[in-house]
Amino acid sequence: MSATKKGSTATLPAVSTSPGLWKANALVFTSNVCIMVIELVAGRILAPYVGVSLYTWTSIIGVVLAGISLGNYLGGKIADLYASRQVLGAAFILSGLATASILLSTKVVTGASFLPSMFLMNRIIIYTALVFFIPTCIMGTITPIVVKLSLHNLQETGHTVGTIYAYAALGSIVGTFGTGFFLMATFGTRNIIWMVAAVMVVAGLLAGRYWESLRRGIFGVALIGLVAGSFLVWGSQFKAPCMIESNYFCIRIDESTLQGRPVKALALDHLIHSYVIPDEPTFLGYEYEQIFNELASYTASQRNATLDLLFIGGGGYTFPRSLEVTHPDYSLTVVEIDPQVTETAFNPLGLNPNTRVVTHNEDGRFFFLHNGDGGRKYDLVFGDAFNDLSVPYHLTTLEFSQLVKAQLKENGMYVANIIDDVKDGEFLQAFMNTQAQAFNYVTLFSIGNAFDSSGASTYVVAASDQPIDLVRYQQVASEGGRRSVVGRPVPAPSVKDFLNRGRRLVLTDDFVPVDNLVAPILARSK
């Protein structure tokens, strides 16, 4: 056994085929760009099947990190035993093929007959793991192999490893910003998957330098061609469920039937947001929209002036387009964050190209923070941006309610639809307690006997500084007894008991656990 003399430099065995440090940095940069692209695209791929919520992103981040961690471990083992350019190239090529398989595995997994019967929260985790764990695990093997091939001198280990990991982190940053601000809006998720797969395969061919051995090169190219060709054939069968893939939603239009009538259903990600009959603009498919309409009629009966109405969330523009026909004197303003949703409302949902509805394509909070439409004040503000899976939490807080109140006319009203289970959920209770901090009166309307039943239902919350005259509301909503009233005001004592039970939360910008509050609904959703 030989000993190293004092003062001498210990060295690692040199690997003749190791890449230079700049090449190593380029390789880990590329692999980490691709990992982050896949992680962000995962949310858009899963959205049509399980929606987008805190639990969706928790599952994605957890699964991707688990895949990378196991990949790092396995990559370290592989590097110690088989480190070479060819092995590194194979890791890249396998990563590319695994990335291409995401489209096929999504089709297979989401079509599995036994999974839709599971509760949604369980399904989110299973979908994410089955589709994304293996690709990210294989990608995770790359960095340890690159590090092994780049180490030559123990005195330079810190510099080499630090530099490689710095470039890996830089790749993650570029992948994150590039995907969020450019790739998603430019190419769409399906094309991005193919691009990442192609980049990884090309990087593998360059890293492995397979052309240096004719026999190895022919075998490698043939294998890649066979597998890639198979994935191209299988992957071409994957049809993205989106008519339009915007920066915010997977948008599609489904033909459906409601109340025995053919309708167009606007689906954003996992859920239907609007039902529309293009040739019948006064059609209101959802009961909460009918309650909105009753409250608008009640407010009009209290005032001798044209109503100024604001809608936070456009969807299919079902309610605004109805009011445009029934009340041509109303001023109608919609704040809809997604321009593509607005475009869909025009075509194919049939919103009049010459509509009087004024649209602001921006976030609802941003609209109020910047003094809205020139500081205009409104008789009614309708909040219609919530659903049971994805709640924009910044629109639920006390600070937001105060912004809304500041742009209401005297005795104006803020009205919002909320989906919750009054027996087990806490979101409705927290939202109403929050409104009670900003307004003097908070009235709850249920649909039928929903408040006395268990299970998720839609409620309408009306907040104002002047109490609603419920007798007057009944007269106006029923048109003097000629029609049935949809909105059932929950008795004040029942509301008081409801608000005083449990934790009595108030949502603020510093404390707004909305996703956790709606978790009971999510846990039981199919």
Side-chain angles (χ1 to χ4, degrees):
M1 180 180 294
S2 61
T4 303
K5 294 181 180 180
K6 185 176 181 180
S8 65
T9 301
T11 60
L12 295 174
V15 180
S16 60
T17 59
S18 63
L21 187 56
W22 72 269
K23 295 179 181 178
N25 294 336
L27 290 172
V28 296
F29 176 87
T30 300
S31 68
N32 279 270
V33 166
C34 292
I35 287 174
M36 291 310 301
V37 170
I38 294 302
E39 183 171 1
L40 290 181
V41 167
R44 300 304 314 137
I45 289 178
L46 292 176
Y49 309 103
V50 295
V52 178
S53 67
L54 174 66
Y55 301 100
T56 308
W57 282 111
T58 298
S59 298
I60 291 170
I61 295 171
V63 165
V64 170
L65 288 176
I68 295 172
S69 298
L70 180 59
N72 288 166
Y73 174 79
L74 296 176
K77 292 287 187 180
I78 293 170
D80 285 341
L81 295 173
Y82 308 109
S84 69
R85 281 187 176 274
Q86 289 72 41
V87 170
L88 177 59
F92 267 99
I93 292 169
L94 288 174
S95 296
L97 297 178
T99 298
S101 75
I102 288 173
L103 297 176
L104 176 62
S105 58
T106 299
K107 178 180 177 65
V108 172
V109 169
T110 57
S113 59
F114 69 94
L115 288 174
S117 62
M118 294 183 175
F119 290 129
L120 185 59
M121 290 180 74
N122 297 333
R123 206 158 76 240
I124 290 173
I125 298 173
I126 292 174
Y127 279 1
T128 307
L130 291 178
V131 175
F132 295 101
F133 180 78
I134 290 178
T136 53
C137 180
I138 298 174
M139 289 172 140
T141 64
I142 292 172
T143 299
I145 299 174
V146 172
V147 170
K148 177 73 173 185
L149 293 175
S150 303
L151 291 176
H152 304 295
N153 191 313
L154 287 178
Q155 287 186 330
E156 298 178 354
T157 299
H159 169 70
T160 300
V161 174
T163 301
I164 289 174
Y165 275 93
Y167 274 86
L170 180 61
S172 297
I173 294 169
V174 171
T176 299
F177 283 99
T179 305
F181 288 97
F182 174 70
L183 292 178
M184 202 82 76
T186 305
F187 298 105
T189 54
R190 179 187 166 100
N191 291 330
I192 291 173
I193 291 294
W194 288 122
M195 289 167 58
V196 171
V199 167
M200 295 297 279
V201 169
V202 170
L205 292 173
L206 295 175
R209 299 174 66 172
Y210 293 102
W211 59 85
E212 292 182 347
S213 170
L214 180 61
R215 184 171 60 182
R216 187 189 301 134
I218 293 175
F219 174 77
V221 171
L223 179 61
I224 293 169
L226 175 63
V227 179
S230 299
F231 277 123
L232 284 171
V233 172
W234 294 335
S236 64
Q237 301 176 26
F238 175 81
K239 301 295 183 182
C242 313
M243 183 185 78
I244 300 172
E245 199 168 31
S246 73
N247 286 339
Y248 300 95
F249 301 110
C250 168
I251 304 171
R252 71 177 190 272
I253 304 296
D254 298 327
E255 301 294 334
S256 185
T257 302
L258 186 67
Q259 301 172 11
R261 309 172 67 182
V263 296
K264 291 183 179 294
L266 171 66
L268 304 180
D269 290 339
H270 180 63
L271 295 174
I272 294 175
H273 279 240
S274 302
Y275 289 107
V276 175
I277 300 179
D279 296 331
E280 190 177 334
T282 58
F283 174 78
L284 298 176
Y286 280 124
E287 287 92 344
Y288 81 83
E289 293 172 323
Q290 296 172 36
I291 299 175
F292 280 6
N293 191 47
E294 292 173 353
L295 286 168
S297 298
Y298 165 79
T299 302
S301 73
Q302 300 291 92
R303 300 170 184 258
N304 295 316
T306 297
L307 294 186
D308 290 306
L309 307 181
L310 175 70
F311 308 86
I312 304 171
Y317 283 59
T318 308
F319 185 37
R321 83 169 71 194
S322 173
L323 290 176
E324 183 177 25
V325 173
T326 59
H327 297 279
D329 56 332
Y330 285 5
S331 171
L332 308 170
T333 303
V334 171
V335 180
E336 166 56 54
I337 193 171
D338 193 344
Q340 294 295 331
V341 170
T342 300
E343 286 295 320
T344 304
F346 282 99
N347 184 25
L349 293 182
L351 181 64
N352 188 342
N354 299 316
T355 180
R356 293 184 298 101
V357 178
V358 177
T359 297
H360 296 266
N361 288 127
E362 58 185 299
D363 176 77
R365 180 93 176 234
F366 185 89
F367 176 84
F368 285 107
L369 282 172
H370 291 78
N371 207 28
D373 189 7
R376 167 181 280 182
K377 291 188 179 290
Y378 303 94
D379 298 283
L380 282 165
V381 172
F382 293 99
D384 192 12
F386 305 152
N387 61 60
D388 59 342
L389 299 184
S390 179
V391 178
Y393 62 88
H394 64 301
L395 303 183
T396 68
T397 66
L398 174 60
E399 290 83 353
F400 177 72
S401 298
Q402 290 168 338
L403 289 173
V404 172
K405 183 176 180 178
Q407 286 196 229
L408 285 174
K409 294 180 181 178
E410 185 179 0
N411 298 323
M413 190 185 305
Y414 174 35
V415 182
N417 73 302
I418 302 291
I419 300 174
D420 201 4
D421 183 340
V422 295
K423 304 302 180 184
D424 297 324
E426 293 184 280
F427 178 43
L428 176 61
Q429 181 196 43
F431 184 81
M432 292 184 66
N433 277 324
T434 302
Q435 301 316 307
Q437 299 297 310
F439 296 90
N440 294 332
Y441 297 92
V442 180
T443 306
L444 178 64
F445 294 85
S446 71
I447 299 169
N449 296 319
F451 189 80
D452 300 319
S453 307
S454 60
S457 185
T458 300
Y459 298 88
V460 171
V461 177
S464 61
D465 281 340
Q466 178 176 301
I468 296 176
D469 183 340
L470 296 179
V471 174
R472 177 69 174 169
Y473 171 84
Q474 183 76 21
Q475 293 173 341
V476 172
S478 67
E479 296 179 357
R482 292 191 298 272
R483 61 183 296 275
S484 60
V485 179
V486 179
R488 177 190 172 189
V490 178
S494 298
V495 171
K496 183 177 180 180
D497 292 341
F498 173 65
L499 296 182
N500 286 333
R501 78 183 190 195
R503 294 191 287 174
R504 302 179 63 180
L505 302 177
V506 173
L507 305 176
T508 68
D509 286 350
D510 292 328
F511 180 78
V512 55
V514 169
D515 290 278
N516 303 104
L517 298 179
V518 300
I521 298 178
L522 195 63
R524 292 191 297 271
S525 298
K526 293 289 188 174

